[in-house]
Amino acid sequence: MEAGKAAPPAGAEGEEEEDDFGYRLFPDRNKKPQSFLYRSLFTFHNRCQVMLRITLDTNPYAQLLLAAMKQSGCTVFNDRHFSCENCDGCVSGGFDSATSQIVLCQNNIRHQSHMNRVVTHELIHAFDHCRAHVDWFKNVKHLACSEIRAANLSGDCTLMNEIARFKFGLKGHHQTCVRDRAIRSILAVRKVSRETAEKAVDEVFDACFNDLEPFGRIPHSKADAKRAYKDFLNRDRYNANL
């Protein structure tokens, strides 16, 4: 998750503050829904809704994940499973496992390509939640695994995104980016030490980095994602004819 919310409690003994599982970053989670008229007055919300619809209708990363979730019995509905809200800090989105809802930070997502990445990242968490018994709240390794997969498969670590962050590397840079972003996401939502986050990521890294479902490959570009989506649809049709 991009500093998301489905963050399991992991460790950090002796903490004086009670862990809130990252919900402090999403203050709108506990508020009563506002009326349509109230929400329509705020361009952040309207812009978020428009960009979300464009992502769901046109982005191959998101389209593949939506198809895979539907096939797994977890159909995603726009009005039910996405919520545009104001968030604290610099978080862009989160997956609320308690409600199976993706939170999109309307005050922090400013352009379409960012929305595409956030939706894809959070849909990977939702997909993991659908297909596996993820213990978000008690097993930091489960969180680490999903964060590794999200960073690896969502486009977070594409060459262009890394160049935009002024980060350059040679062989193995993609893996380094995935590891760093997974650790950063855990630290953003969990009150654990960096040592705890790094240990969790390192212990599951190889297995989770090589788990490429439902893409079947690492989609390094939108063209890669389109091919993966086409392959997924063809695989589905082939299996239906068996």
Side-chain angles (χ1 to χ4, degrees):
M1 110 192 45
E2 290 224 341
K5 302 184 343 205
E13 293 184 6
E15 290 179 348
E16 295 182 1
E17 282 188 81
E18 183 180 355
D19 203 324
D20 64 1
F21 308 114
Y23 280 84
R24 67 193 178 282
L25 301 172
F26 302 86
D28 283 358
R29 287 278 82 189
N30 296 322
K31 293 181 180 179
K32 293 182 179 179
Q34 302 291 346
S35 69
F36 174 79
L37 178 61
Y38 179 89
R39 288 185 287 111
S40 67
L41 296 176
F42 295 89
T43 57
F44 276 164
H45 188 83
N46 290 340
R47 182 178 63 186
C48 177
Q49 292 284 354
V50 170
M51 288 194 296
L52 170 61
R53 174 47 59 194
I54 292 172
T55 296
L56 298 181
D57 288 346
T58 66
N59 184 263
Y61 291 87
Q63 290 174 322
L64 193 159
L65 286 159
L66 292 172
M69 290 188 67
K70 183 176 181 180
Q71 186 185 81
S72 299
C74 300
T75 300
V76 176
F77 298 98
N78 185 2
D79 294 340
R80 163 66 181 86
H81 294 107
F82 293 94
S83 179
C84 290
E85 302 176 8
N86 289 322
C87 307
D88 285 349
C90 296
V91 293
S92 300
F95 174 64
D96 187 347
S97 61
T99 59
S100 295
Q101 192 170 52
I102 289 171
V103 182
L104 301 171
C105 298
Q106 60 193 21
N107 54 322
N108 292 330
I109 300 175
R110 304 297 174 82
H111 49 81
Q112 188 63 49
S113 61
H114 190 190
M115 176 65 79
N116 292 344
R117 291 198 308 274
V118 174
V119 170
T120 300
H121 187 112
E122 303 308 333
L123 278 174
I124 291 170
H125 291 314
F127 176 77
D128 288 346
H129 186 68
C130 173
R131 71 170 181 152
H133 298 292
V134 181
D135 190 349
W136 299 106
F137 298 107
K138 292 184 180 179
N139 194 325
V140 70
K141 291 183 183 179
H142 286 193
L143 172 63
C145 186
S146 193
E147 292 296 357
I148 291 166
R149 281 176 32 76
N152 188 30
L153 300 173
S154 67
D156 287 348
C157 289
T158 61
L159 177 61
M160 293 307 298
N161 284 333
E162 282 293 89
I163 290 175
R165 300 178 188 119
F166 299 102
K167 293 184 178 181
F168 305 90
L170 300 175
K171 185 176 180 180
H173 182 72
H174 180 76
Q175 288 90 331
T176 299
C177 173
V178 169
R179 179 181 182 274
D180 290 347
R181 292 187 71 80
I183 291 170
R184 192 179 79 166
S185 289
I186 294 172
L187 292 175
V189 298
R190 296 295 300 114
K191 293 177 182 177
V192 299
S193 66
R194 172 168 284 274
E195 181 182 6
T196 297
E198 289 178 347
K199 181 180 179 182
V201 168
D202 289 341
E203 287 182 353
V204 302
F205 189 85
D206 287 344
C208 299
F209 183 83
N210 290 306
D211 180 0
L212 305 179
E213 285 299 314
F215 290 89
R217 70 186 78 188
I218 298 175
H220 291 290
S221 65
K222 185 175 286 189
D224 282 347
K226 287 181 179 179
R227 285 190 289 268
Y229 183 36
K230 182 178 179 181
D231 289 346
F232 179 85
L233 295 177
N234 289 335
R235 178 177 63 180
D236 189 26
R237 294 189 187 102
Y238 173 78
N239 292 335
N241 290 327
L242 291 179

